[in-house]
Amino acid sequence: MAKQYKFDIRKPHQFFGLGFGLGLAPFAPGTFGTLGALPLIFITASYPLWLQCVFAVVISLFGIWVCGQTAKDVQVHDHPAIVWDEVAGFYITMIGAALSWKALLVGFILFRFFDIAKPGPIRMLDKKLHGGFGIMADDILAGIFSLICVQALFKTGFLVA
């Protein structure tokens, strides 16, 4: 029988660490957790680019703490329910993108691809780093890779938002 972990979303760090509770989805918690970035993306879409970047840094630094604390609570380094890293990674993916269903879908697919496949340096970060920083680092890099792809696809006109 699989071990049950005690999460308590009444604790603020767990509420955020679990991506507003989306990480508690019974299947594909990382995919559901990624959707937790949508309100942040919509709220900040009209912000200047520099402010979106500052916000990405803030939610990433915050994520190091909330993911680390939540992992300590359940004594599992990167429990699948801890999804704030996906929230931050998808937010990073969408920095500066024109909001449309196409851009969101392409960004979502690219981010999930890089997060799951973990090519090259993303895999290295995932294996070498620990604690809250380790939980966040690979998703931040996956977000940066996805951001580059989204910008290249839409800014070159290959895809139209």
Side-chain angles (χ1 to χ4, degrees):
M1 187 158 119
K3 182 177 179 180
Q4 296 294 315
Y5 294 93
K6 289 249 182 203
F7 292 106
D8 183 357
I9 62 172
R10 294 173 297 178
K11 293 180 179 179
H13 67 275
Q14 286 197 22
F15 175 73
F16 289 104
L18 300 172
F20 313 114
L22 292 169
L24 297 174
F27 62 93
T31 299
F32 280 99
T34 301
L35 298 174
L38 289 174
L40 304 176
I41 292 166
F42 288 129
I43 289 167
T44 63
S46 63
Y47 291 9
L49 184 60
W50 70 269
L51 195 51
Q52 290 179 39
C53 292
V54 168
F55 190 71
V57 170
V58 169
I59 65 173
S60 296
L61 292 173
F62 178 68
I64 292 169
W65 181 74
V66 298
C67 291
Q69 288 299 118
T70 304
K72 281 182 191 175
D73 288 353
V74 295
Q75 299 178 346
V76 176
H77 164 61
D78 194 358
H79 190 283
I82 300 172
V83 295
W84 189 260
D85 49 333
E86 276 83 6
V87 171
F90 186 41
Y91 181 84
I92 290 166
T93 299
M94 299 309 296
I95 290 173
L99 280 192
S100 70
W101 70 268
K102 288 181 196 175
L104 288 166
L105 181 62
V106 168
F108 182 84
I109 291 168
L110 284 167
F111 174 71
R112 291 307 296 149
F113 167 76
F114 284 116
D115 186 32
I116 293 167
K118 298 193 187 314
I122 297 171
R123 181 179 301 115
M124 182 190 72
L125 289 178
D126 187 50
K127 289 183 179 186
K128 301 258 183 207
L129 301 175
H130 303 286
F133 185 69
I135 294 170
M136 290 293 299
D138 63 308
D139 291 84
I140 291 169
L141 190 54
I144 292 168
F145 282 14
S146 302
L147 166 70
I148 292 166
C149 292
V150 165
Q151 292 299 318
L153 289 169
F154 287 95
K155 298 290 183 190
T156 61
F158 186 77
L159 291 176
V160 178

